[in-house]
Amino acid sequence: MLENTTTPRIFVAATRQNDGKTTTSVGLYACLKKQFERVGYIKPVGQRFVEINGKKIDEDTVLINHTYQPGLPLEAMSPIAVDPWFTRYYLDQGDPAELEGKVQTAFNRAAWEQDFIVIEGSGHAGVGSVFNMSNAQVAGALESKAIIVSRGGVGKPLDEVSLNLALFEKYNVEVIGVILNQVLEHKVETLYPYAERGLNRMGLNLLGIIPLKHELLKPTFNQICIELDGRWLLGAREHQRRRVGKVMIGNTTPENMDIYRIKGGLIITSGDREEFLSALVEKAAENPEWKSIAGVVLTLGFLPKDSLMEELKKLDIPILSVEMDAFQVASRINRMTVKTEPSDHDKIGIIQDLVDTHVDVSKIISEAKAD
């Protein structure tokens, strides 16, 4: 049962997964803390989780808890974690009233004595419908107004906003506005009037346009290791947080290797290309700029001979071994969804500044408080 109907709240939804809900929530939380002493947070339904003290806690909840330390029980901020068997179990014997009650009880705890609370959704408005806990249903059960985050543009993004809006309206959830995310900086100014006009025709406010910052899209070397199911050969302790910018397949002759000397560049090459790797060692000895590359991924499970590995250690760069070929590695990296992690202090600072600068937080607060 929802007991707390007075604490101001906002539900952060999106048109699709990975459109910027967490980015918006992280930045919005920081802005709210400038105006309110106590700000709560809850992600009612989480799909990516870690186990903490035997409890499944959503990764975004861990991020918010680590970054802002709201002083709330983790289980209150992350009441439902959808594991691979969750949906089947629910369809077999689940009780929608029980799930809704669990979310409402958690919200009552998370919102207790708070001045404002951020509710983060899971994907588009319909995600969770199969177990009667779609974003729209959850927002309705928590009597919250909503904002929708979408990718930049006019045509497709606004079409998707319209689809999401229909489901929120079905559950009597008022959508107060839209934030467009990851818009190329040089297009923000020209996009604004057209996006505003299109949303106004739907009865929605344009709450802001967040420009694309490429730093936010760069994975760490450790994230790449996890994505590729790789094995650390060198640098596991010192270089996990290195950012990877450009991805390059190392297939040139040693004479042409300087094209790979790029800060943050990741070189993909077969582990048995010892001529290439030896040339890399020589180049790094001649020019210390080589040590600014992100690292090396050795493919096909091949490893250099021991003497060459000893020379590679002197480079002081991270090196992974994977079973995939170079094309598979490059494709997987380029398709990665790069999530913000609790240790990403640089990225979190960028996100906070982006939301503070480009989102009308005062409008969100006033609309959330309005009857």
Side-chain angles (χ1 to χ4, degrees):
M1 178 180 178
L2 187 66
E3 299 172 354
N4 187 326
T5 60
T6 57
T7 300
R9 64 206 70 183
I10 196 68
F11 191 100
V12 181
T15 50
R16 292 174 294 177
Q17 286 186 313
N18 305 315
D19 271 0
K21 294 182 307 300
T22 301
T23 295
T24 300
S25 297
V26 168
L28 179 60
Y29 194 104
C31 293
L32 291 169
K33 283 294 289 182
K34 293 180 180 180
Q35 301 194 44
F36 301 103
E37 181 181 352
R38 297 163 300 184
V39 179
Y41 170 91
I42 182 173
K43 185 162 184 178
V45 180
Q47 296 174 301
R48 295 165 59 105
F49 57 86
V50 294
E51 288 207 14
I52 299 177
N53 297 326
K55 298 176 181 178
K56 297 182 176 70
I57 305 298
D58 179 79
E59 289 181 347
D60 296 328
T61 299
V62 175
L63 172 63
I64 291 287
N65 187 63
H66 184 274
T67 303
Y68 299 112
Q69 299 178 342
L72 300 169
L74 285 173
E75 62 271 23
M77 294 192 288
S78 179
I80 296 177
V82 181
D83 61 31
W85 295 98
F86 184 93
T87 300
R88 296 181 188 182
Y89 173 82
Y90 178 81
L91 292 175
D92 281 337
Q93 54 188 335
D95 179 2
E98 179 183 350
L99 280 185
E100 181 176 297
K102 186 174 183 179
V103 166
Q104 289 176 327
T105 299
F107 178 84
N108 290 333
R109 293 180 68 192
W112 177 255
E113 293 188 337
Q114 304 299 313
D115 301 314
F116 202 103
I117 184 165
V118 176
I119 310 167
E120 183 178 344
S122 302
H124 58 73
V127 170
S129 296
V130 67
F131 46 85
N132 299 98
M133 291 297 288
S134 72
N135 283 283
Q137 287 170 289
V138 171
L142 299 181
E143 298 184 16
S144 177
K145 297 177 183 180
I147 58 177
I148 298 176
V149 182
S150 181
R151 292 289 178 94
V154 177
K156 183 178 179 180
L158 267 62
D159 289 344
E160 292 177 342
V161 167
S162 180
L163 286 172
N164 281 263
L165 182 62
L167 192 57
F168 279 116
E169 289 175 341
K170 176 181 177 181
Y171 290 99
N172 300 312
V173 175
E174 179 184 347
V175 177
I176 65 173
V178 172
I179 296 171
L180 299 182
N181 187 37
Q182 294 190 359
V183 176
L184 294 174
E185 287 196 76
H186 69 276
K187 292 188 175 182
V188 171
E189 186 175 349
T190 54
L191 173 63
Y192 208 102
Y194 294 101
E196 188 172 47
R197 197 177 307 159
L199 289 169
N200 287 343
R201 289 181 177 180
M202 299 182 200
L204 299 175
N205 298 303
L206 176 58
L207 297 170
I209 297 180
I210 300 176
L212 173 65
K213 292 293 183 183
H214 290 285
E215 287 300 312
L216 299 181
L217 305 180
K218 294 179 180 179
T220 63
F221 209 83
N222 190 57
Q223 286 175 316
I224 284 178
C225 180
I226 294 170
E227 177 70 21
L228 302 178
D229 194 22
R231 178 166 66 92
W232 283 93
L233 298 180
L234 297 173
R237 179 172 298 178
E238 315 93 284
H239 300 306
Q240 289 195 15
R241 306 303 307 168
R242 279 205 179 187
R243 295 275 174 209
V244 175
K246 189 172 184 178
V247 177
M248 304 166 288
I249 296 178
N251 55 8
T252 65
T253 61
E255 292 77 16
N256 295 317
M257 281 189 62
D258 281 345
I259 63 173
Y260 303 112
R261 196 182 70 237
I262 298 173
K263 183 177 181 180
L266 177 68
I267 300 174
I268 305 168
T269 190
S270 175
D272 62 354
R273 291 202 63 194
E274 296 195 346
E275 183 185 49
F276 183 92
L277 294 171
S278 294
L280 177 60
V281 171
E282 293 176 9
K283 290 284 187 180
E286 297 169 2
N287 189 336
E289 288 184 11
W290 276 97
K291 294 188 178 182
S292 69
I293 67 172
V296 177
V297 175
L298 302 180
T299 62
L300 298 171
F302 297 139
L303 300 178
K305 58 187 178 183
D306 292 343
S307 59
L308 181 52
M309 281 297 297
E310 289 301 314
E311 292 299 312
L312 288 168
K313 286 181 182 180
K314 299 176 184 178
L315 294 180
D316 193 32
I317 61 173
I319 298 180
L320 296 179
S321 173
V322 300
E323 298 297 324
M324 291 176 268
D325 62 37
F327 178 77
Q328 289 173 313
V329 169
S331 298
R332 287 280 291 270
I333 294 173
N334 287 326
R335 293 198 307 267
M336 278 181 67
T337 297
V338 182
K339 302 289 286 184
T340 302
E341 299 179 327
S343 53
D344 287 336
H345 304 297
D346 53 341
K347 290 175 63 174
I348 291 169
I350 293 171
I351 289 168
Q352 291 169 336
D353 182 64
L354 284 172
V355 174
D356 188 35
T357 304
H358 298 283
V359 175
D360 190 349
V361 176
S362 296
K363 181 71 172 177
I364 294 174
I365 293 172
S366 63
E367 290 290 334
K369 286 184 169 183
D371 292 333

